[in-house]
Amino acid sequence: MSNNSLSVTDNRTGRSYEMPINDGTVRAMDFRDIKVDEEDFGLLVYDPGFTNTASCRSAITRIDGEAGVLEHRGYPIEQLAEKSTYLETAYLLIHGELPTQRQMDDWREEIKFHTYLHENAKKFMEGFQYDAHPMGMLVGTVAGMSTFYRDSKAIMDPESRHDQIVRLIAKMPTIAAFAYRHNQGKPYVYPDNELSYPGNFLSMLWKMSEPKYEPDPVLQRAMDVLWILHADHEQNCSTNAMRSVGSSHADPYSATAAAAAITFTATPGVYYFGDVIITSISLATPVDGISAVTFSYQGTGRLDISSVVTTTTTTSTSTSTSTSSSSSTSSSSSSSSSTTSSSSTSSSPSSSSSSSSTSSTSSSPSTSSSSSSTSSSTSSSPSTTSSTSSSPSTSTSSSSTSSSPSTSSTSSSSSTSSSSSTPP
């Protein structure tokens, strides 16, 4: 009898059964062998709500809520929030490794190329009721995108899957911003690809008659951090919905619409990101001077990014390095450390905004159960394991020449997975 097994005795018949334990789990199908007689269908495992069921193996994200741990591909969320960008984090989640500088440049340009919506999709959005809920507009538009990109049906083609991933990441902010402007009765603002990914989103939300919208750098960084924090949350409700729809070989847009519908409630003034209603985000360690982003809900049912609380720590020589696309350096003449907090109101000309977080899409060919990566950070190179609750995987890291995930130079990853799709 193996030590890594489970012995079960059926008191109805007196028979004993031995089931192997792998990665802390036993297979539900093994219980089907437990029968009263040959005509018996076999014992079923009853678990409504998936409260104690692992539906796949994955090395994409590991969450331990009680311990306050969130890791993407082995990288602690604190490190990614401090040094990475949302686009770089999305690349990491999809491909399993941080991009080189050239790969990051190509990835960024590829996203920018696809930010515009087809004009017929824009007209489709204009057909919604003037007070339509922004999330309902987003869900409907995303589902409708499958009619514009018929190649999305070729889900077994890696090149086609990649194209849909890029299109979804690129167009989701455009759809969300158009839905917000529609709700306010304002003309839609086309993407400005000279801006950063979050900066372009803010421009589409709030640009008015000015020739060029200049996003608030603090709010821009806060939005980037917000998306990093919500890029992937393991096997949550929306992830499960996306995987269920995707398992029927539906196109990625239909699966993404199903996942987005899970994050949407018809209750006015309530927005869901994953399984959590967000009113305020406070960072234990300030990122680029940002310690908290506060969200308040208006009676109109729209989400208002009301304020960004900034924290500046003064030391004799203080420097803070941010993302690959922007860096901020702060210095102080004081040798003693002190902390001051100030509330900076967002640059929105209106009283409310509708925000939709984006995520790496499903049907990625690189979900993995084990990964070995040579990656970044001379300051703190993560060497933690990355997996879902169903599969502890091993990830080893060694420090390279780069100093942060946003400037990673060499990464290699080999991975295998029993799941066929990467949930959002």
Side-chain angles (χ1 to χ4, degrees), residues 82 218 221-222 225 283 285-292 308-313 320-322 328 330 339-342:
E82 180 183 358
V218 176
R221 180 60 181 147
V225 172
L283 305 179
T285 303
V287 175
D288 293 347
I290 300 169
S291 64
V308 177
V309 180
T310 59
T311 300
T312 304
T313 303
S320 172
T321 305
S322 65
S328 60
S330 60
T339 302
T340 59
S341 298
S342 62

Side-chain angles (χ1 to χ4, degrees), residues 114-151:
H114 289 279
T115 54
Y116 273 72
L117 281 185
H118 194 288
E119 281 297 296
N120 287 346
K122 175 173 166 278
K123 292 177 182 178
F124 174 80
M125 295 189 70
E126 289 173 345
F128 281 98
Q129 183 79 353
Y130 72 94
D131 59 350
H133 196 291
M135 278 300 295
M137 294 181 64
L138 183 139
V139 169
T141 305
V142 170
M145 286 174 63
S146 63
T147 64
F148 290 90
Y149 305 107
R150 298 180 183 178
D151 60 325

Side-chain angles (χ1 to χ4, degrees), residues 353-364:
S353 71
S354 172
S355 172
S356 171
S357 62
T358 63
S359 64
S360 59
T361 65
S362 76
S363 66
S364 165

Side-chain angles (χ1 to χ4, degrees), residues 180 206 226 268-271 273 277-281 292-308 345-346 348 350-355:
Y180 167 71
W206 294 329
L226 172 68
V270 179
Y271 286 75
F273 292 85
I277 304 175
I278 294 181
T279 54
S280 178
I281 297 176
V293 182
T294 303
F295 299 85
S296 63
Y297 301 115
Q298 307 300 316
T300 55
R302 301 190 186 102
L303 179 65
D304 175 40
I305 307 176
S306 61
S307 63
V308 177
T345 305
S346 68
S348 168
S350 62
S351 62
S352 60
S353 71
S354 172
S355 172

Side-chain angles (χ1 to χ4, degrees), residues 217 267 358 417:
T267 304
T358 63
S417 175

